[in-house]
């Protein structure tokens, strides 16, 4: 796993375990965080206390300087009215196996909504540090294919005119997978666009084929929309989430498809005890036909928008966000 490898590399470089996991999650999930996140991570009830500052100065920045010498370490930016810490040192990214990550690029204040999206992704990762996160695009593509989704179902963006370059998962989502359940984390900045719900509809149009393909393969998909709890939520976003849920009982349909396919595989094997239990080959053929119809019916129920959805309110975000 990417997180375990990165955490081990940082511990070997001299980071304490608590700081190693914090820095690994930040670097892999988005590269930026705010002071409140560090305070919550170490359990500092009042983030103005010196304990949080010691954690940042000693356990993070101090260990960073000792391990990587002249590496930049943490860069503290004052963007708008909020302070954002940016992990931009090349030595650290090389150590965790993410030397070419675009999260190293300098922050541009004009890209404020994109910066907030990255902060929200880091919040999600830090809020659930034990989840089996999948961070890199290559790992996400490999995971989707291993779960039964064809590349044609993956979100794709092509760059270049003469020699186009295909990039899967161009929005760099967070993913976690365990026990036949895939979680997609989508950061959302309310008020970023004239029509917030429209941006989510566009996003869903790109991801619906993946959700449908994984559902047909027996994988339950959960969409987690994470946005700042310090802002008033856009009612249009809540209405859109309600519409996603109303378009079909996705989780039940996915489970039913999986069990129906398992039963069909047993019947297709033609094992004498199974055939005898159903009363003969003719009954087996009839049952297989009924299962095929049931699977197609359930797949049709997995229309665009049918997914387990939830809104996460990012706690600990400063008010200006």
């Amino acid at each position: 796993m990417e997180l375990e490898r990165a955490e081990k590399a940082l511990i070997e470089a001299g980071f304490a375990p608590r700081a190693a996991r914090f820095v690994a999650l930040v670097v892999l999930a988005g590269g930026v965080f705010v002071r409140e996140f560090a305070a919550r991570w170490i359990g500092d009830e009042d983030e103005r206390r010196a304990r949080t500052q010691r954690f940042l100065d000693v356990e993070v920045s101090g260990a960073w300087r000792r391990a990587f010498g002249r590496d930049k370490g943490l860069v503290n930016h004052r963007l708008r009215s909020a302070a954002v810490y940016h992990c931009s040192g090349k030595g650290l990214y090389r150590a965790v196996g993410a030397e070419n990550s675009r999260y190293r690029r300098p922050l541009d204040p004009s890209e404020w909504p994109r910066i907030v999206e990255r902060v929200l992704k880091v919040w999600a990762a830090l809020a659930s540090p034990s989840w089996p996160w999948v961070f890199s695009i290559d790992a996400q593509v490999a995971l989707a294919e291993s779960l039964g989704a064809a590349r044609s179902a993956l979100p794709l963006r092509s760059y270049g005119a003469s020699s186009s370059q295909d990039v899967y998962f161009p929005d760099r989502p967070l993913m976690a997978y365990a026990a036949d359940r895939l979680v997609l984390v989508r950061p959302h900045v309310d008020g970023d666009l004239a029509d917030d719900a429209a941006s989510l509809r566009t996003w869903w149009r790109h991801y619906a084929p993946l959700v449908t393909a994984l559902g047909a393969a027996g994988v339950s998909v959960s969409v987690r929309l994470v946005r700042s709890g310090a802002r008033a939520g856009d009612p249009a976003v809540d209405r859109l989430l309600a519409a996603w849920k109303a378009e079909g009982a996705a989780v039940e349909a996915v489970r039913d498809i999986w069990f129906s396919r398992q039963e069909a595989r047993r019947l297709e094997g033609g094992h004498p005890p199974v055939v005898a239990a159903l009363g003969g080959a003719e009954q087996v053929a009839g049952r297989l036909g009924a299962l095929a119809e049931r699977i197609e019916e359930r797949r049709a129920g997995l229309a665009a928008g049918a997914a387990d959805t939830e809104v996460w309110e990012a706690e600990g975000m400063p008010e200006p966000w």
Side-chain angles (χ1 to χ4, degrees), residues 3 16 34 53 206 258 260 276:
L3 178 59
V34 294
Q53 196 60 48
H206 294 155
W258 188 84
S260 297

Side-chain angles (χ1 to χ4, degrees), residues 46-319:
D46 184 353
E47 66 272 9
R48 290 171 296 182
R49 290 180 181 173
R51 194 153 64 93
T52 298
Q53 196 60 48
R54 282 198 303 272
F55 173 72
L56 293 174
D57 291 343
V58 179
E59 295 190 47
V60 176
S61 295
W64 199 324
R65 288 192 298 271
R66 289 191 298 272
F68 306 112
R70 296 174 61 85
D71 207 38
K72 287 182 180 178
L74 284 181
V75 180
N76 189 349
H77 290 270
R78 174 65 65 171
L79 301 176
R80 296 195 178 182
S81 57
V84 178
Y85 289 91
H86 182 209
C87 300
S88 61
K90 188 173 183 179
L92 181 135
Y93 279 81
R94 184 188 298 116
V96 301
E99 184 176 359
N100 297 321
S101 174
R102 64 183 184 184
Y103 294 151
R104 286 188 53 242
R105 296 189 318 186
L107 300 183
D108 185 346
S110 66
E111 298 180 346
W112 178 251
R114 306 289 82 79
I115 296 171
V116 176
E117 287 182 356
R118 285 167 55 183
V119 171
L120 290 172
K121 287 201 299 183
V122 169
W123 176 88
L126 293 174
S128 302
S130 61
W131 280 25
W133 293 109
V134 181
F135 298 98
S136 68
I137 292 178
D138 290 342
Q140 291 172 352
V141 170
L143 172 63
E145 289 185 315
S146 71
L147 296 178
R151 290 215 172 192
S152 58
L154 305 184
L156 173 68
R157 183 177 298 165
S158 296
Y159 297 89
S162 57
S163 58
S164 63
Q165 178 184 3
D166 293 338
V167 176
Y168 294 96
F169 299 109
D171 58 325
R172 298 291 299 270
L174 278 185
M175 286 187 186
Y177 175 74
D180 289 333
R181 178 171 176 255
L182 180 75
V183 176
L184 285 171
V185 174
R186 203 278 188 182
H188 181 72
V189 183
D190 287 298
D192 176 16
L193 302 173
D195 185 351
D196 297 302
S199 66
L200 287 177
R201 290 191 190 95
T202 300
W203 178 85
W204 179 254
R205 189 164 60 248
H206 294 155
Y207 276 83
L210 173 63
V211 173
T212 302
L214 293 179
V219 178
S220 174
V221 180
S222 297
V223 177
R224 296 293 178 262
L225 190 73
V226 56
R227 63 188 185 190
S228 170
R231 297 177 63 100
D234 185 345
V237 174
D238 297 320
R239 287 196 299 271
L240 182 62
L241 289 171
W244 287 357
K245 293 181 180 180
E247 287 185 5
V251 176
E252 290 74 11
V254 163
R255 292 196 183 110
D256 196 15
I257 289 173
W258 188 84
F259 284 114
S260 297
R261 291 180 66 193
Q262 292 296 104
E263 182 180 351
R265 288 193 184 100
R266 289 195 297 270
L267 295 178
E268 288 167 351
H271 300 298
V274 177
V275 175
L278 276 180
E282 186 176 344
Q283 286 74 14
V284 169
R287 179 59 179 166
L288 282 172
L291 287 172
E293 292 180 4
R294 185 176 184 84
I295 290 173
E296 288 304 315
E297 178 185 350
R298 285 301 199 177
R299 281 178 174 170
L302 287 170
D308 173 25
T309 59
E310 183 180 331
V311 176
W312 283 351
E313 301 292 352
E315 300 175 6
M317 300 283 283
E319 287 300 325

